[in-house]
Amino acid sequence: MAGPRTIAAVFASKAAAIATRAVGRGGGTALPGLIALRLDEGIVYSAASRLGKGCVLITGTNGKTTASRLIAATARESGLDVTANTSGSNLMRGLASTLGPIHFDLGYKQYSANRLGVFEVDEAVVPAALVALRPRVAVFTNLFRDQLDRYGEVEAVAQRWREALAAAPADLRLVLNADDPAVAGLGEGREHVTYFGVDDKRLDRGRVEHAADSLTCACGGRLEYDAVYYGQIGAWRCPTCGRKRPKLDVAASDVDLRDGRSVSFSLRANGQTGPSTGLRTGKRPKGPSVELGIGGLYNVYNALAAIAATSALELPNDAAIGALSSTEAAFGRQEWFEVDGRRVELFLGKNPAGLNQVLQTLLLDPKRRTALFILNDGIADGRDVSWIWDADFDVAASRFETVVTSGRRAAEMALRLKYAGYDEARLTVEPDIAAAIARAVAATPPGECLTIVPTYTAMLEARALLAQRTGRKAFWQ
């Protein structure tokens, strides 16, 4: 039975959510959660305890929202009910907004035993979320520099994660990206770990790109690579101490990136052999083919994270494969809209490594010839926008025939593109996002594609404008 503080917290947060949405201020996830936590600081802990199947925590610099969406779809495909922070509100206040109402949901007793929580969590919130959620499984996608004015360097984030996991229960199951040295290291000394990664030498870029992080081993030695996929992601090893990429429990090979709007790969994985080993792979025939309705190598990693989480949750792999083939893009992550006979695609780009992967994905289709880059410097973007100078815009300099820059830092983005070799005659600066979208749509020939690459707050605004224009629901609905 909920106590009076919890009752007050839930009803006050619900009232705040209704009011926030009524005045058009987004999905009503931040303020309601803040109010709930102020009235009952233990509301996340108490609500999470009512999830009969426990919960999964997903974190990392890139891929949290997409991986969470894929895991939730897999759980539903397996017959479970799911509670998830689908709006992407991933601080403690977002968890409070999502979980608080289950205290009073009608019929909750009937479905609570079959309900799984799937929560993406901000990198900085991991220590508090591990305590409050007490997850069965924690998924770590990757670790890149992002919002340095907020998080600090990647080693600072990695250290917070290590300290939080050191205090976590020993039976917590970790799902880790083995191809990322900083993430793979989180599994050292722990028993219940499932590692995922890519095993496809055809994708080897041959060198570590400028946007790479975590290139030094824990022993201080410089890492070497047998294959580099992007950033610091790949088949790494340390010649100094002998550390190397862990054996892959869930692996993708024969990756076909196609035109960047879908991808397929062969899945190499066995059935679960025990709580401490999860899936084990080796020299075996090709596994089942996996089809994913979103593109890019980075989404292969998101799919692998979902399949590995399925293993850790002891759900059937067939459910994951089926869910992956039918799950659509999360809001603003390869989501597309039909506008005046043009296909308008949104690709979130919020840090050097992620943006580099977006650019590589865009290059897969030579028909992408018009682009709109939107650069904001809101708190959720990071006030420091110097990171754009670490992104490899140069690779697409000859691809786009028309480029518009927009957002609060539109001029800085235009300057970056000029230095990357973009013809100044092809560049247009339009700070107002609505006007920039209109101009970019008009510049796109009918039947062709307009690519919009915004930072986070810019994505929310651009997506709202496109949704309003096309009659699509708001992202939180």
Side-chain angles (χ1 to χ4, degrees), residues 446-469:
E448 293 197 7
C449 176
L450 165 63
T451 300
I452 302 179
V453 183
T455 54
Y456 185 74
T457 64
M459 179 272 288
L460 295 179
E461 183 175 348
R463 200 243 177 232
L465 290 166
L466 291 169
Q468 184 179 30
R469 187 165 179 172

Side-chain angles (χ1 to χ4, degrees), residues 162-193:
R162 287 192 291 265
E163 293 172 354
L165 290 173
D171 61 353
L172 170 66
R173 295 172 182 261
L174 297 185
V175 172
L176 304 177
N177 185 348
D179 293 353
D180 187 326
V183 171
L186 299 175
E188 293 183 2
R190 297 194 68 93
E191 184 180 4
H192 306 288
V193 184

Side-chain angles (χ1 to χ4, degrees), residues 417-442:
L417 295 179
K418 181 179 178 181
Y419 273 91
Y422 289 66
D423 185 353
E424 191 172 357
R426 292 181 286 146
L427 285 172
T428 300
V429 179
E430 174 50 74
D432 182 78
I433 294 177
I437 291 175
R439 179 170 293 196
V441 168

Side-chain angles (χ1 to χ4, degrees), residues 338-344 367-371 401-402 439-450:
E338 186 75 24
V339 178
D340 296 342
R342 285 87 165 168
R343 179 186 175 101
V344 180
K367 295 180 180 179
R368 291 187 173 106
R369 296 183 292 182
T370 307
E401 297 177 357
T402 302
R439 179 170 293 196
V441 168
T444 305
E448 293 197 7
C449 176
L450 165 63

Side-chain angles (χ1 to χ4, degrees), residues 213-244:
D213 301 293
S214 304
L215 295 177
T216 303
C217 179
C219 74
R222 182 77 174 180
L223 295 178
E224 295 181 355
Y225 283 80
D226 296 319
V228 179
Y229 299 131
Y230 71 96
Q232 74 271 7
I233 305 295
W236 57 273
R237 54 187 168 81
C238 177
T240 303
C241 71
R243 282 189 177 91
K244 61 181 180 179

